[in-house]
Amino acid sequence: MDFIGELLGYVAGICTAIVFLPQSVQTIKTKDVSGLSFGTYVIYCIGMLCWIAYGIYLHSIQMMLFNTISLVFAAIILYIIIKNKYGRE
Amino acid sequence: MDFIGELLGYVAGICTAIVFLPQSVQTIKTKDVSGLSFGTYVIYCIGMLCWIAYGIYLHSIQMMLFNTISLVFAAIILYIIIKNKYGRE
C-alpha cells in the first residue's frame, strides 16, 4: 500500500500541476473568456499561494513545485480574463 | 509558526473546496460553456479522485472533505460541458 499511496500522491500532484494547461492553451488561442468565472480564478490563485506557503511550512518540495506550476497556468487565465473583461474602454 | 502554518493549510483547503462554486453558479445560470476547457475539468476530476484516495491513505479527514466538496462542483461543470458540447443532436 505504501507504493500505491505514494503513487496516488504523485498522480494527484501532477494533475494539480497541469490542470489548467488545456484551459490556458484554449483561452490564449480563442481569447473566449465569456464562460469563465472571474471569482473562481481569483480563489484558485489565492488557494495556490496558500498551498505553496503551506508547502514551505511542511518543507515539501513537491507541494511547492506542483502548486507553483498550477499557479502559473491559473494566473495566465486570470490575466486574460481581467484584460478582456475589464480592460476594454 | 505552528498556528500560522495550520491556518494556511485550512485556508488553502477551503479555497480548494469552494474554488468552483462561482464557476458552477455562473455555468448553471448562463449555460455558457464555450470558453470552458473539457480537458481541464476531466483532469481536475481525476486529480480530485486521487487527492481523496490519497486522503484516505493518509487518514486525513480534511483532505477527504475539502476535495470531495471540490469534486462535486467540478463534476457539475463537467456534466454541463458534456451535455452542452456533446449532447446536442
Side-chain angles (χ1 to χ4, degrees), chain A residues 16 19 23 32 34-35 37 40 51, chain B residues 16 19 23 34-35 37 40 51:
Chain A
T16 293
V19 66
Q23 182 67 69
D32 179 5
S34 63
S37 160
T40 280
W51 280 120
Chain B
T16 293
V19 66
Q23 182 68 69
S34 63
S37 161
T40 280
W51 281 121

Side-chain angles (χ1 to χ4, degrees), chain B residues 12-88:
Chain B
I14 291 166
C15 284
T16 293
I18 62 160
V19 66
F20 283 121
L21 175 60
Q23 182 68 69
S24 58
V25 169
Q26 180 176 327
T27 307
I28 289 166
K29 272 191 186 165
T30 64
K31 300 271 185 291
D32 178 6
V33 296
S34 63
L36 299 181
S37 161
F38 174 70
T40 280
Y41 288 91
V42 170
I43 296 171
Y44 197 86
C45 289
I46 294 169
M48 283 300 112
L49 287 171
C50 291
W51 281 121
I52 294 164
Y54 195 51
I56 294 168
Y57 167 70
L58 295 178
H59 303 281
S60 166
I61 300 286
Q62 293 95 326
M63 277 181 75
M64 294 182 227
L65 183 70
F66 290 145
N67 291 315
T68 301
I69 296 169
S70 195
L71 176 62
V72 170
F73 289 123
I76 291 170
I77 300 165
L78 182 59
Y79 170 74
I80 300 172
I81 292 173
I82 292 170
K83 212 177 132 193
N84 278 268
K85 283 196 173 165
Y86 304 97
R88 282 181 186 154

Side-chain angles (χ1 to χ4, degrees), chain A residues 5-21:
Chain A
E6 291 309 316
L7 186 70
L8 271 173
Y10 269 93
V11 175
I14 291 166
C15 283
T16 293
I18 62 160
V19 66
F20 283 122
L21 174 61

Side-chain angles (χ1 to χ4, degrees), chain A residues 44-60:
Chain A
Y44 196 86
C45 289
I46 293 169
M48 283 299 112
L49 287 171
C50 291
W51 280 120
I52 294 163
Y54 195 51
I56 294 168
Y57 167 70
L58 295 177
H59 302 282
S60 166

Side-chain angles (χ1 to χ4, degrees), chain A residues 64-79:
Chain A
M64 294 182 228
L65 182 71
F66 289 146
N67 291 315
T68 300
I69 296 169
S70 196
L71 176 61
V72 169
F73 289 122
I76 290 170
I77 300 164
L78 182 59
Y79 170 74

